[in-house]
Short mmCIF file of all heavy atoms in Angstrom, two decimals:
data_model
loop_
_atom_site.label_atom_id
_atom_site.label_comp_id
_atom_site.label_asym_id
_atom_site.label_seq_id
_atom_site.Cartn_x
_atom_site.Cartn_y
_atom_site.Cartn_z
N MET A 1 0.84 -1.17 0.00
CA MET A 1 0.00 0.00 0.00
C MET A 1 0.89 1.24 0.00
O MET A 1 1.86 1.33 0.74
CB MET A 1 -0.86 0.01 1.25
CG MET A 1 -2.28 0.16 1.02
SD MET A 1 -3.02 -0.18 2.62
CE MET A 1 -4.62 0.26 2.32
N SER A 2 0.48 2.20 -0.74
CA SER A 2 1.26 3.42 -0.80
C SER A 2 0.90 4.33 0.36
O SER A 2 -0.09 4.13 1.07
CB SER A 2 1.03 4.13 -2.12
OG SER A 2 -0.27 4.67 -2.14
N VAL A 3 1.69 5.35 0.57
CA VAL A 3 1.47 6.30 1.66
C VAL A 3 0.15 7.04 1.47
O VAL A 3 -0.61 7.27 2.41
CB VAL A 3 2.65 7.28 1.74
CG1 VAL A 3 2.38 8.35 2.79
CG2 VAL A 3 3.93 6.54 2.03
N VAL A 4 -0.18 7.39 0.21
CA VAL A 4 -1.43 8.11 -0.07
C VAL A 4 -2.63 7.22 0.22
O VAL A 4 -3.60 7.64 0.84
CB VAL A 4 -1.43 8.63 -1.53
CG1 VAL A 4 -2.77 9.27 -1.85
CG2 VAL A 4 -0.29 9.58 -1.77
N ALA A 5 -2.59 5.97 -0.22
CA ALA A 5 -3.70 5.05 0.02
C ALA A 5 -3.85 4.78 1.51
O ALA A 5 -4.96 4.68 2.04
CB ALA A 5 -3.48 3.77 -0.75
N ASN A 6 -2.73 4.66 2.20
CA ASN A 6 -2.76 4.43 3.64
C ASN A 6 -3.38 5.63 4.37
O ASN A 6 -4.16 5.47 5.31
CB ASN A 6 -1.34 4.17 4.13
CG ASN A 6 -1.33 3.40 5.44
OD1 ASN A 6 -2.36 2.91 5.88
ND2 ASN A 6 -0.17 3.32 6.05
N ALA A 7 -3.07 6.84 3.95
CA ALA A 7 -3.63 8.04 4.55
C ALA A 7 -5.12 8.14 4.29
O ALA A 7 -5.89 8.58 5.15
CB ALA A 7 -2.92 9.28 4.02
N ILE A 8 -5.58 7.73 3.12
CA ILE A 8 -7.00 7.76 2.80
C ILE A 8 -7.75 6.78 3.68
O ILE A 8 -8.82 7.08 4.23
CB ILE A 8 -7.23 7.49 1.31
CG1 ILE A 8 -6.69 8.64 0.48
CG2 ILE A 8 -8.70 7.26 1.02
CD1 ILE A 8 -6.71 8.37 -1.03
N VAL A 9 -7.21 5.59 3.86
CA VAL A 9 -7.86 4.58 4.69
C VAL A 9 -7.92 5.06 6.14
O VAL A 9 -8.94 4.90 6.82
CB VAL A 9 -7.12 3.24 4.57
CG1 VAL A 9 -7.64 2.24 5.60
CG2 VAL A 9 -7.27 2.67 3.18
N LEU A 10 -6.86 5.66 6.64
CA LEU A 10 -6.84 6.11 8.03
C LEU A 10 -7.72 7.33 8.26
O LEU A 10 -8.18 7.57 9.37
CB LEU A 10 -5.40 6.43 8.44
CG LEU A 10 -4.47 5.22 8.55
CD1 LEU A 10 -3.06 5.68 8.89
CD2 LEU A 10 -4.97 4.23 9.58
N SER A 11 -7.96 8.12 7.20
CA SER A 11 -8.75 9.33 7.38
C SER A 11 -10.25 9.08 7.31
O SER A 11 -11.03 9.96 7.62
CB SER A 11 -8.37 10.36 6.32
OG SER A 11 -8.77 9.91 5.04
N GLU A 12 -10.66 7.89 6.90
CA GLU A 12 -12.09 7.61 6.85
C GLU A 12 -12.64 7.51 8.26
O GLU A 12 -12.01 6.97 9.16
CB GLU A 12 -12.35 6.32 6.09
CG GLU A 12 -12.09 6.44 4.61
CD GLU A 12 -12.43 5.16 3.87
OE1 GLU A 12 -13.12 4.30 4.47
OE2 GLU A 12 -11.99 5.02 2.74
N GLU A 13 -13.83 8.02 8.43
CA GLU A 13 -14.45 8.05 9.75
C GLU A 13 -15.13 6.72 10.02
O GLU A 13 -15.88 6.20 9.20
CB GLU A 13 -15.50 9.17 9.79
CG GLU A 13 -16.14 9.35 11.14
CD GLU A 13 -17.14 10.50 11.14
OE1 GLU A 13 -17.07 11.34 10.24
OE2 GLU A 13 -17.99 10.51 12.04
N ALA A 14 -14.86 6.17 11.19
CA ALA A 14 -15.53 4.95 11.60
C ALA A 14 -16.84 5.35 12.27
O ALA A 14 -16.87 6.08 13.25
CB ALA A 14 -14.68 4.17 12.58
N VAL A 15 -17.94 4.89 11.72
CA VAL A 15 -19.25 5.26 12.22
C VAL A 15 -19.89 4.03 12.84
O VAL A 15 -20.07 3.01 12.20
CB VAL A 15 -20.15 5.81 11.08
CG1 VAL A 15 -21.53 6.14 11.62
CG2 VAL A 15 -19.51 7.01 10.44
N ASN A 16 -20.22 4.16 14.13
CA ASN A 16 -20.96 3.11 14.82
C ASN A 16 -22.36 3.63 15.07
O ASN A 16 -22.55 4.55 15.86
CB ASN A 16 -20.29 2.75 16.15
CG ASN A 16 -18.93 2.14 15.94
OD1 ASN A 16 -18.72 1.42 14.98
ND2 ASN A 16 -18.00 2.42 16.84
N HIS A 17 -23.31 3.05 14.43
CA HIS A 17 -24.69 3.52 14.57
C HIS A 17 -25.30 2.94 15.83
O HIS A 17 -25.19 1.75 16.10
CB HIS A 17 -25.51 3.13 13.34
CG HIS A 17 -25.05 3.81 12.09
ND1 HIS A 17 -25.32 5.14 11.85
CD2 HIS A 17 -24.33 3.38 11.03
CE1 HIS A 17 -24.80 5.49 10.70
NE2 HIS A 17 -24.18 4.44 10.19
N LEU A 18 -25.95 3.80 16.59
CA LEU A 18 -26.64 3.35 17.79
C LEU A 18 -27.99 2.75 17.39
O LEU A 18 -28.58 3.14 16.38
CB LEU A 18 -26.87 4.54 18.72
CG LEU A 18 -25.61 5.23 19.26
CD1 LEU A 18 -26.00 6.47 20.05
CD2 LEU A 18 -24.82 4.28 20.11
N PRO A 19 -28.50 1.83 18.18
CA PRO A 19 -29.80 1.23 17.85
C PRO A 19 -30.96 2.22 17.93
O PRO A 19 -31.99 2.02 17.31
CB PRO A 19 -29.96 0.11 18.86
CG PRO A 19 -29.00 0.38 19.94
CD PRO A 19 -27.92 1.24 19.37
N PHE A 20 -30.80 3.29 18.71
CA PHE A 20 -31.80 4.35 18.81
C PHE A 20 -31.07 5.62 19.24
O PHE A 20 -29.93 5.56 19.67
CB PHE A 20 -32.93 3.99 19.78
CG PHE A 20 -32.51 3.23 20.99
CD1 PHE A 20 -31.97 3.86 22.08
CD2 PHE A 20 -32.66 1.86 21.04
CE1 PHE A 20 -31.57 3.16 23.19
CE2 PHE A 20 -32.27 1.14 22.15
CZ PHE A 20 -31.72 1.80 23.23
N PRO A 21 -31.72 6.77 19.16
CA PRO A 21 -31.05 8.03 19.50
C PRO A 21 -30.51 8.04 20.93
O PRO A 21 -31.04 7.38 21.83
CB PRO A 21 -32.15 9.08 19.33
CG PRO A 21 -33.09 8.47 18.36
CD PRO A 21 -33.05 6.98 18.62
N GLY A 22 -29.44 8.80 21.15
CA GLY A 22 -28.75 8.82 22.44
C GLY A 22 -29.60 9.26 23.61
O GLY A 22 -29.35 8.87 24.74
N VAL A 23 -30.61 10.07 23.37
CA VAL A 23 -31.48 10.54 24.46
C VAL A 23 -32.19 9.37 25.13
O VAL A 23 -32.41 9.38 26.34
CB VAL A 23 -32.52 11.55 23.90
CG1 VAL A 23 -33.52 11.93 24.95
CG2 VAL A 23 -31.82 12.76 23.34
N PHE A 24 -32.50 8.35 24.37
CA PHE A 24 -33.23 7.22 24.92
C PHE A 24 -32.39 6.43 25.92
O PHE A 24 -32.94 5.79 26.82
CB PHE A 24 -33.74 6.29 23.81
CG PHE A 24 -34.87 6.89 23.04
CD1 PHE A 24 -34.72 7.23 21.71
CD2 PHE A 24 -36.08 7.13 23.65
CE1 PHE A 24 -35.77 7.79 21.00
CE2 PHE A 24 -37.13 7.70 22.95
CZ PHE A 24 -36.97 8.03 21.62
N PHE A 25 -31.06 6.46 25.79
CA PHE A 25 -30.22 5.81 26.79
C PHE A 25 -30.42 6.46 28.15
O PHE A 25 -30.52 5.78 29.17
CB PHE A 25 -28.74 5.87 26.38
CG PHE A 25 -28.39 4.94 25.26
CD1 PHE A 25 -28.22 5.42 23.98
CD2 PHE A 25 -28.23 3.59 25.50
CE1 PHE A 25 -27.90 4.57 22.95
CE2 PHE A 25 -27.90 2.72 24.47
CZ PHE A 25 -27.74 3.22 23.18
N GLY A 26 -30.48 7.77 28.18
CA GLY A 26 -30.73 8.49 29.43
C GLY A 26 -32.13 8.20 29.98
O GLY A 26 -32.30 8.05 31.19
N LEU A 27 -33.11 8.15 29.10
CA LEU A 27 -34.48 7.85 29.54
C LEU A 27 -34.59 6.44 30.11
O LEU A 27 -35.29 6.22 31.10
CB LEU A 27 -35.46 8.04 28.39
CG LEU A 27 -35.65 9.48 27.91
CD1 LEU A 27 -36.55 9.52 26.69
CD2 LEU A 27 -36.23 10.33 29.03
N ILE A 28 -33.90 5.50 29.51
CA ILE A 28 -33.91 4.11 30.01
C ILE A 28 -33.26 4.06 31.39
O ILE A 28 -33.78 3.42 32.32
CB ILE A 28 -33.23 3.17 29.01
CG1 ILE A 28 -34.08 3.02 27.77
CG2 ILE A 28 -32.95 1.81 29.65
CD1 ILE A 28 -33.40 2.31 26.62
N ALA A 29 -32.13 4.74 31.56
CA ALA A 29 -31.45 4.77 32.86
C ALA A 29 -32.35 5.43 33.90
O ALA A 29 -32.46 4.94 35.04
CB ALA A 29 -30.13 5.50 32.75
N PHE A 30 -33.01 6.52 33.54
CA PHE A 30 -33.92 7.20 34.46
C PHE A 30 -35.07 6.27 34.87
O PHE A 30 -35.45 6.22 36.04
CB PHE A 30 -34.46 8.47 33.81
CG PHE A 30 -35.33 9.28 34.70
CD1 PHE A 30 -34.81 9.94 35.80
CD2 PHE A 30 -36.68 9.39 34.45
CE1 PHE A 30 -35.62 10.70 36.63
CE2 PHE A 30 -37.51 10.13 35.27
CZ PHE A 30 -36.97 10.79 36.37
N ALA A 31 -35.61 5.53 33.92
CA ALA A 31 -36.70 4.60 34.23
C ALA A 31 -36.23 3.49 35.16
O ALA A 31 -36.96 3.10 36.10
CB ALA A 31 -37.26 4.00 32.94
N ILE A 32 -35.01 3.01 34.96
CA ILE A 32 -34.48 1.97 35.84
C ILE A 32 -34.32 2.51 37.26
O ILE A 32 -34.67 1.83 38.24
CB ILE A 32 -33.14 1.42 35.29
CG1 ILE A 32 -33.40 0.61 34.03
CG2 ILE A 32 -32.40 0.60 36.33
CD1 ILE A 32 -32.16 0.21 33.28
N PHE A 33 -33.82 3.74 37.39
CA PHE A 33 -33.69 4.35 38.72
C PHE A 33 -35.05 4.58 39.37
O PHE A 33 -35.20 4.44 40.59
CB PHE A 33 -32.89 5.65 38.65
CG PHE A 33 -31.41 5.42 38.58
CD1 PHE A 33 -30.71 5.78 37.45
CD2 PHE A 33 -30.72 4.86 39.63
CE1 PHE A 33 -29.34 5.58 37.38
CE2 PHE A 33 -29.36 4.65 39.58
CZ PHE A 33 -28.66 5.01 38.45
N LEU A 34 -36.04 4.95 38.58
CA LEU A 34 -37.38 5.12 39.15
C LEU A 34 -37.94 3.80 39.68
O LEU A 34 -38.52 3.76 40.77
CB LEU A 34 -38.34 5.69 38.09
CG LEU A 34 -38.26 7.18 37.86
CD1 LEU A 34 -39.23 7.58 36.74
CD2 LEU A 34 -38.59 7.95 39.11
N VAL A 35 -37.76 2.74 38.92
CA VAL A 35 -38.24 1.42 39.36
C VAL A 35 -37.50 0.99 40.62
O VAL A 35 -38.12 0.50 41.58
CB VAL A 35 -38.08 0.38 38.23
CG1 VAL A 35 -38.30 -1.02 38.74
CG2 VAL A 35 -39.03 0.68 37.10
N ALA A 36 -36.18 1.18 40.65
CA ALA A 36 -35.41 0.82 41.85
C ALA A 36 -35.84 1.67 43.04
O ALA A 36 -35.94 1.16 44.16
CB ALA A 36 -33.92 0.99 41.59
N GLY A 37 -36.11 2.94 42.82
CA GLY A 37 -36.59 3.80 43.89
C GLY A 37 -37.94 3.38 44.42
O GLY A 37 -38.19 3.40 45.61
N PHE A 38 -38.83 2.95 43.52
CA PHE A 38 -40.14 2.46 43.96
C PHE A 38 -40.00 1.19 44.79
O PHE A 38 -40.69 1.02 45.80
CB PHE A 38 -41.04 2.20 42.74
CG PHE A 38 -42.36 1.61 43.13
CD1 PHE A 38 -43.34 2.39 43.71
CD2 PHE A 38 -42.62 0.27 42.93
CE1 PHE A 38 -44.56 1.84 44.09
CE2 PHE A 38 -43.83 -0.29 43.29
CZ PHE A 38 -44.80 0.50 43.88
N VAL A 39 -39.11 0.30 44.38
CA VAL A 39 -38.90 -0.93 45.15
C VAL A 39 -38.38 -0.60 46.54
O VAL A 39 -38.85 -1.15 47.54
CB VAL A 39 -37.93 -1.88 44.41
CG1 VAL A 39 -37.48 -3.04 45.29
CG2 VAL A 39 -38.59 -2.42 43.15
N MET A 40 -37.42 0.32 46.63
CA MET A 40 -36.90 0.72 47.94
C MET A 40 -37.99 1.39 48.77
O MET A 40 -38.11 1.15 49.97
CB MET A 40 -35.73 1.69 47.77
CG MET A 40 -34.57 1.10 47.05
SD MET A 40 -33.17 0.62 48.02
CE MET A 40 -32.95 1.88 49.18
N TRP A 41 -38.81 2.23 48.15
CA TRP A 41 -39.89 2.93 48.85
C TRP A 41 -40.92 1.94 49.38
O TRP A 41 -41.49 2.13 50.46
CB TRP A 41 -40.54 3.92 47.90
CG TRP A 41 -41.67 4.67 48.49
CD1 TRP A 41 -41.62 5.70 49.37
CD2 TRP A 41 -43.07 4.44 48.24
NE1 TRP A 41 -42.89 6.14 49.67
CE2 TRP A 41 -43.80 5.37 48.99
CE3 TRP A 41 -43.76 3.53 47.45
CZ2 TRP A 41 -45.18 5.42 48.98
CZ3 TRP A 41 -45.13 3.58 47.44
CH2 TRP A 41 -45.82 4.51 48.20
N SER A 42 -41.16 0.84 48.64
CA SER A 42 -42.17 -0.12 49.06
C SER A 42 -41.77 -0.89 50.32
O SER A 42 -42.63 -1.47 50.98
CB SER A 42 -42.47 -1.11 47.93
OG SER A 42 -41.35 -1.94 47.69
N TYR A 43 -40.49 -0.89 50.66
CA TYR A 43 -40.02 -1.58 51.85
C TYR A 43 -39.90 -0.65 53.07
O TYR A 43 -39.34 -1.04 54.08
CB TYR A 43 -38.67 -2.25 51.60
CG TYR A 43 -38.80 -3.55 50.85
CD1 TYR A 43 -38.65 -3.60 49.48
CD2 TYR A 43 -39.09 -4.73 51.52
CE1 TYR A 43 -38.78 -4.78 48.79
CE2 TYR A 43 -39.22 -5.91 50.85
CZ TYR A 43 -39.06 -5.94 49.48
OH TYR A 43 -39.19 -7.10 48.79
N ARG A 44 -40.44 0.56 52.97
CA ARG A 44 -40.34 1.50 54.08
C ARG A 44 -41.12 0.99 55.29
O ARG A 44 -42.16 0.35 55.16
CB ARG A 44 -40.87 2.88 53.67
CG ARG A 44 -42.38 2.89 53.50
CD ARG A 44 -42.86 4.15 52.83
NE ARG A 44 -44.30 4.20 52.83
CZ ARG A 44 -45.09 3.46 52.09
NH1 ARG A 44 -44.59 2.58 51.26
NH2 ARG A 44 -46.40 3.59 52.15
N ASP A 45 -40.59 1.22 56.44
CA ASP A 45 -41.26 0.91 57.71
C ASP A 45 -41.64 -0.56 57.86
O ASP A 45 -42.61 -0.89 58.50
CB ASP A 45 -42.50 1.80 57.85
CG ASP A 45 -42.87 2.04 59.29
OD1 ASP A 45 -41.97 2.00 60.13
OD2 ASP A 45 -44.06 2.26 59.56
N VAL A 46 -40.86 -1.45 57.27
CA VAL A 46 -41.16 -2.87 57.35
C VAL A 46 -41.02 -3.38 58.78
O VAL A 46 -41.79 -4.22 59.23
CB VAL A 46 -40.26 -3.68 56.38
CG1 VAL A 46 -40.39 -5.18 56.60
CG2 VAL A 46 -40.63 -3.34 54.95
N ALA A 47 -40.04 -2.89 59.51
CA ALA A 47 -39.80 -3.37 60.87
C ALA A 47 -40.97 -3.05 61.80
O ALA A 47 -41.21 -3.79 62.76
CB ALA A 47 -38.52 -2.75 61.42
N ASN A 48 -41.69 -1.99 61.54
CA ASN A 48 -42.79 -1.62 62.42
C ASN A 48 -44.11 -2.27 62.06
O ASN A 48 -45.13 -1.95 62.65
CB ASN A 48 -42.95 -0.10 62.44
CG ASN A 48 -41.79 0.57 63.11
OD1 ASN A 48 -41.19 0.01 64.02
ND2 ASN A 48 -41.43 1.76 62.65
N ARG A 49 -44.11 -3.15 61.10
CA ARG A 49 -45.36 -3.83 60.74
C ARG A 49 -45.73 -4.91 61.75
O ARG A 49 -46.86 -5.37 61.79
CB ARG A 49 -45.23 -4.46 59.35
CG ARG A 49 -45.19 -3.42 58.28
CD ARG A 49 -45.16 -4.04 56.93
NE ARG A 49 -44.99 -2.99 55.91
CZ ARG A 49 -44.72 -3.23 54.66
NH1 ARG A 49 -44.58 -4.47 54.23
NH2 ARG A 49 -44.58 -2.24 53.82
N HIS A 50 -44.75 -5.33 62.54
CA HIS A 50 -45.00 -6.36 63.55
C HIS A 50 -44.51 -5.84 64.90
O HIS A 50 -43.44 -6.21 65.37
CB HIS A 50 -44.25 -7.66 63.18
CG HIS A 50 -44.57 -8.14 61.81
ND1 HIS A 50 -45.77 -8.74 61.50
CD2 HIS A 50 -43.87 -8.07 60.65
CE1 HIS A 50 -45.78 -9.05 60.21
NE2 HIS A 50 -44.65 -8.65 59.67
N PRO A 51 -45.30 -5.01 65.56
CA PRO A 51 -44.83 -4.38 66.81
C PRO A 51 -44.55 -5.38 67.91
O PRO A 51 -43.69 -5.14 68.75
CB PRO A 51 -45.95 -3.42 67.18
CG PRO A 51 -47.14 -3.88 66.42
CD PRO A 51 -46.64 -4.58 65.19
N GLN A 52 -45.25 -6.50 67.95
CA GLN A 52 -45.00 -7.47 69.01
C GLN A 52 -43.61 -8.09 68.86
O GLN A 52 -42.93 -8.34 69.84
CB GLN A 52 -46.09 -8.56 69.06
CG GLN A 52 -46.12 -9.52 67.89
CD GLN A 52 -46.85 -8.99 66.66
OE1 GLN A 52 -47.23 -7.83 66.60
NE2 GLN A 52 -47.05 -9.85 65.68
N LYS A 53 -43.14 -8.29 67.63
CA LYS A 53 -41.79 -8.81 67.42
C LYS A 53 -40.76 -7.75 67.78
O LYS A 53 -39.72 -8.06 68.36
CB LYS A 53 -41.60 -9.25 65.97
CG LYS A 53 -42.36 -10.50 65.62
CD LYS A 53 -42.07 -10.91 64.19
CE LYS A 53 -42.82 -12.15 63.81
NZ LYS A 53 -42.55 -12.55 62.42
N SER A 54 -41.03 -6.50 67.44
CA SER A 54 -40.10 -5.42 67.76
C SER A 54 -39.97 -5.25 69.28
O SER A 54 -38.87 -5.05 69.80
CB SER A 54 -40.56 -4.11 67.14
OG SER A 54 -40.59 -4.22 65.75
N ALA A 55 -41.08 -5.34 69.98
CA ALA A 55 -41.05 -5.20 71.43
C ALA A 55 -40.31 -6.36 72.07
O ALA A 55 -39.51 -6.16 73.00
CB ALA A 55 -42.47 -5.11 71.98
N ALA A 56 -40.53 -7.56 71.59
CA ALA A 56 -39.83 -8.74 72.14
C ALA A 56 -38.33 -8.64 71.88
O ALA A 56 -37.51 -8.97 72.75
CB ALA A 56 -40.39 -10.02 71.53
N PHE A 57 -37.95 -8.16 70.72
CA PHE A 57 -36.53 -8.00 70.41
C PHE A 57 -35.90 -6.93 71.29
O PHE A 57 -34.79 -7.11 71.81
CB PHE A 57 -36.36 -7.62 68.93
CG PHE A 57 -34.93 -7.44 68.53
CD1 PHE A 57 -34.16 -8.55 68.18
CD2 PHE A 57 -34.34 -6.19 68.49
CE1 PHE A 57 -32.84 -8.40 67.81
CE2 PHE A 57 -33.02 -6.02 68.12
CZ PHE A 57 -32.26 -7.14 67.78
N ALA A 58 -36.60 -5.82 71.50
CA ALA A 58 -36.07 -4.73 72.32
C ALA A 58 -35.89 -5.17 73.77
O ALA A 58 -34.95 -4.76 74.44
CB ALA A 58 -36.97 -3.51 72.23
N GLN A 59 -36.79 -6.02 74.28
CA GLN A 59 -36.69 -6.48 75.67
C GLN A 59 -35.56 -7.48 75.85
O GLN A 59 -34.95 -7.55 76.90
CB GLN A 59 -38.01 -7.09 76.12
CG GLN A 59 -39.10 -6.07 76.32
CD GLN A 59 -40.42 -6.73 76.68
OE1 GLN A 59 -40.53 -7.94 76.67
NE2 GLN A 59 -41.41 -5.90 76.98
N SER A 60 -35.28 -8.26 74.83
CA SER A 60 -34.28 -9.31 74.97
C SER A 60 -32.88 -8.87 74.57
O SER A 60 -31.93 -9.60 74.76
CB SER A 60 -34.68 -10.53 74.14
OG SER A 60 -34.65 -10.20 72.77
N HIS A 61 -32.72 -7.66 74.04
CA HIS A 61 -31.42 -7.19 73.61
C HIS A 61 -31.10 -5.84 74.25
O HIS A 61 -31.97 -5.01 74.43
CB HIS A 61 -31.38 -7.04 72.08
CG HIS A 61 -31.44 -8.34 71.37
ND1 HIS A 61 -32.61 -9.02 71.18
CD2 HIS A 61 -30.46 -9.10 70.81
CE1 HIS A 61 -32.36 -10.14 70.52
NE2 HIS A 61 -31.06 -10.21 70.29
N ASP A 62 -29.83 -5.68 74.53
CA ASP A 62 -29.37 -4.41 75.09
C ASP A 62 -29.31 -3.39 73.96
O ASP A 62 -28.57 -3.57 72.99
CB ASP A 62 -28.00 -4.60 75.74
CG ASP A 62 -27.53 -3.35 76.44
OD1 ASP A 62 -28.34 -2.44 76.64
OD2 ASP A 62 -26.34 -3.32 76.79
N LEU A 63 -30.07 -2.33 74.07
CA LEU A 63 -30.17 -1.36 72.99
C LEU A 63 -28.94 -0.48 72.84
O LEU A 63 -28.73 0.12 71.80
CB LEU A 63 -31.41 -0.48 73.19
CG LEU A 63 -32.74 -1.22 73.18
CD1 LEU A 63 -33.88 -0.25 73.44
CD2 LEU A 63 -32.94 -1.93 71.86
N HIS A 64 -28.10 -0.39 73.86
CA HIS A 64 -26.94 0.49 73.80
C HIS A 64 -25.67 -0.24 73.40
O HIS A 64 -24.62 0.37 73.31
CB HIS A 64 -26.75 1.20 75.14
CG HIS A 64 -27.91 2.06 75.49
ND1 HIS A 64 -28.21 3.21 74.82
CD2 HIS A 64 -28.86 1.91 76.44
CE1 HIS A 64 -29.30 3.74 75.34
NE2 HIS A 64 -29.72 2.98 76.32
N GLY A 65 -25.71 -1.54 73.20
CA GLY A 65 -24.54 -2.29 72.77
C GLY A 65 -23.61 -2.70 73.88
O GLY A 65 -22.54 -3.23 73.63
N HIS A 66 -23.97 -2.50 75.15
CA HIS A 66 -23.13 -2.90 76.26
C HIS A 66 -23.39 -4.35 76.61
O HIS A 66 -24.53 -4.82 76.63
CB HIS A 66 -23.38 -2.02 77.48
CG HIS A 66 -23.08 -0.59 77.23
ND1 HIS A 66 -21.80 -0.11 77.16
CD2 HIS A 66 -23.89 0.48 77.01
CE1 HIS A 66 -21.83 1.18 76.90
NE2 HIS A 66 -23.08 1.56 76.81
N GLY A 67 -22.33 -5.05 76.86
CA GLY A 67 -22.49 -6.45 77.26
C GLY A 67 -22.98 -7.32 76.13
O GLY A 67 -23.78 -8.22 76.35
N ASP A 68 -22.52 -7.04 74.92
CA ASP A 68 -22.99 -7.84 73.79
C ASP A 68 -22.35 -9.23 73.83
O ASP A 68 -21.50 -9.54 74.67
CB ASP A 68 -22.70 -7.13 72.47
CG ASP A 68 -21.24 -6.79 72.30
OD1 ASP A 68 -20.43 -7.10 73.19
OD2 ASP A 68 -20.93 -6.21 71.26
N ARG A 69 -22.72 -10.08 72.92
CA ARG A 69 -22.28 -11.46 72.93
C ARG A 69 -20.80 -11.62 72.64
O ARG A 69 -20.23 -12.66 72.92
CB ARG A 69 -23.08 -12.26 71.91
CG ARG A 69 -24.48 -12.56 72.39
CD ARG A 69 -25.15 -13.45 71.42
NE ARG A 69 -26.18 -12.63 70.76
CZ ARG A 69 -26.93 -13.05 69.80
NH1 ARG A 69 -26.79 -14.25 69.30
NH2 ARG A 69 -27.84 -12.27 69.26
N THR A 70 -20.17 -10.62 72.08
CA THR A 70 -18.75 -10.74 71.77
C THR A 70 -17.90 -10.55 73.02
O THR A 70 -16.72 -10.88 73.01
CB THR A 70 -18.31 -9.71 70.71
OG1 THR A 70 -18.52 -8.41 71.23
CG2 THR A 70 -19.08 -9.90 69.43
N GLY A 71 -18.47 -10.01 74.07
CA GLY A 71 -17.75 -9.78 75.30
C GLY A 71 -16.96 -8.48 75.29
O GLY A 71 -16.23 -8.19 76.23
N ALA A 72 -17.09 -7.71 74.23
CA ALA A 72 -16.37 -6.45 74.15
C ALA A 72 -17.08 -5.40 74.97
O ALA A 72 -18.27 -5.18 74.81
CB ALA A 72 -16.27 -5.99 72.68
N ASP A 73 -16.33 -4.75 75.86
CA ASP A 73 -16.90 -3.66 76.64
C ASP A 73 -16.54 -2.35 75.98
O ASP A 73 -15.41 -2.16 75.57
CB ASP A 73 -16.38 -3.67 78.06
CG ASP A 73 -16.90 -4.87 78.83
OD1 ASP A 73 -17.59 -5.69 78.22
OD2 ASP A 73 -16.60 -4.97 80.03
N HIS A 74 -17.48 -1.46 75.91
CA HIS A 74 -17.25 -0.19 75.21
C HIS A 74 -16.67 0.79 76.16
O HIS A 74 -16.95 1.49 76.85
CB HIS A 74 -18.54 0.31 74.55
CG HIS A 74 -19.05 -0.66 73.55
ND1 HIS A 74 -18.52 -0.77 72.28
CD2 HIS A 74 -20.03 -1.58 73.60
CE1 HIS A 74 -19.17 -1.69 71.61
NE2 HIS A 74 -20.10 -2.20 72.39
#
């Protein structure tokens, strides 16, 4: 290949066509974050749905972390 032919080949633009316009990539990401946010929102206040279990746990465990099972004193 000559220098001129090599320069012509290197100067051609490589075009990668996207399957759809670039704006849609952002919209898809936004939709995924909305769905993930809704899933996180749906689990709000799950611990308080069973107050009898929460009360039993609070009575049987030291809430301040003193005297825990590891034996570490703070």
Side-chain angles (χ1 to χ4, degrees):
M1 233 170 171
S2 71
V3 175
V4 175
N6 203 10
I8 292 172
V9 170
L10 292 177
S11 68
E12 289 183 16
E13 184 178 341
V15 178
N16 294 326
H17 294 285
L18 298 174
F20 37 82
V23 174
F24 288 114
F25 286 103
L27 291 175
I28 290 170
F30 184 69
I32 289 171
F33 280 114
L34 280 178
V35 169
F38 176 75
V39 169
M40 298 256 319
W41 179 76
S42 68
Y43 280 96
R44 71 192 187 288
D45 206 28
V46 170
N48 292 329
R49 290 184 185 168
H50 306 285
Q52 68 278 8
K53 289 183 180 179
S54 298
F57 180 83
Q59 288 176 354
S60 65
H61 292 79
D62 185 13
L63 298 178
H64 298 291
H66 298 286
D68 56 0
R69 285 185 250 177
T70 62
D73 292 4
H74 300 282

